[in-house]
Amino acid sequence: MSRLALREVARSSLNLARPEALYGLARRLRYHYRFHASQVGRIERGPEVRISPMADFRNGDRIRIGAATRVGEFACLWAGDEDGSIRIGKKVLISPFAFVTAFDYGLRADEYVMDQPGRPGDVDVGDDVWIGAHAVVTAGVSIGRGAVVGAGAVVTRDVPPSAIVGGVPAKVIGHRG
């Protein structure tokens, strides 16, 4: 567990005489098990992969992570509920609070968003990619080898190799090297 998580548990345990504190601690532990501990074991991953204990995963059996990749705190990889997969290459940096999803909702105006059929799409992240903090990668996107996704960018289209993208929606703003 990270220092922040241990500090939170210690703070909660000081107030365990109060039922709401005990309930809150139990909820946090259940959430951690459901979206981290139980999912990490399902992920196919290469050697030397480091995953923050605070990272979240959905449907880990459809997530593959290449060797020596790092997944930061509070990053979320969501492979969708029924279809869609996420493939992460080797030596990829996924920064804290990044969100990668292989599932989107429809956007028709004549129906509630949550009532529309989902749109799954595989996400493919090449080797040596850096996904910045708070970046969002949407379903059906491929990110080429050596690309950099700037902090806070929303990637809705494919990113070419060695490109640096940023903005909402993400656009090429430069190239590595």
Side-chain angles (χ1 to χ4, degrees):
M1 276 188 145
S2 70
R3 286 185 193 173
L4 177 64
L6 289 174
R7 204 174 307 144
E8 186 66 27
V9 168
R11 189 177 328 151
S12 297
S13 61
L14 294 175
N15 297 320
L16 289 182
R18 295 176 32 217
E20 62 272 10
L22 185 59
Y23 177 71
L25 178 61
R27 285 184 63 203
R28 277 189 228 116
L29 291 172
R30 180 177 174 265
Y31 181 89
H32 179 75
Y33 175 76
R34 183 173 178 201
F35 296 120
H36 181 83
S38 69
Q39 295 295 317
V40 168
R42 298 170 155 186
I43 296 171
E44 181 183 327
R45 56 189 172 185
E48 300 180 37
V49 170
R50 288 192 189 164
I51 298 173
S52 166
M54 304 308 282
D56 285 345
F57 303 93
R58 303 296 190 280
N59 305 306
D61 51 338
R62 290 196 307 279
I63 299 173
R64 290 188 310 189
I65 301 176
T69 289
R70 306 293 183 255
V71 180
E73 292 84 6
F74 302 103
C76 181
L77 279 69
W78 182 21
D81 291 329
E82 297 171 9
D83 204 4
S85 65
I86 298 173
R87 290 179 299 278
I88 308 291
K90 293 182 282 191
K91 295 198 173 192
V92 173
L93 295 172
I94 301 175
S95 297
F97 296 97
F99 182 71
V100 180
T101 181
F103 184 85
D104 282 333
Y105 290 97
L107 297 175
R108 292 192 325 267
D110 62 340
E111 192 174 353
Y112 289 110
V113 171
M114 65 185 298
D115 292 340
Q116 295 181 39
R119 296 180 298 158
D122 295 341
V123 174
D124 189 16
V125 177
D127 298 340
D128 188 30
V129 169
W130 177 15
I131 299 175
H134 295 277
V136 175
V137 178
T138 60
V141 169
S142 291
I143 299 176
R145 179 186 176 93
V148 175
V149 177
V154 177
V155 180
T156 58
R157 294 194 170 110
D158 291 350
V159 176
S162 298
I164 300 171
V165 299
V168 179
K171 294 183 171 121
V172 175
I173 57 174
H175 288 83
R176 284 178 67 186

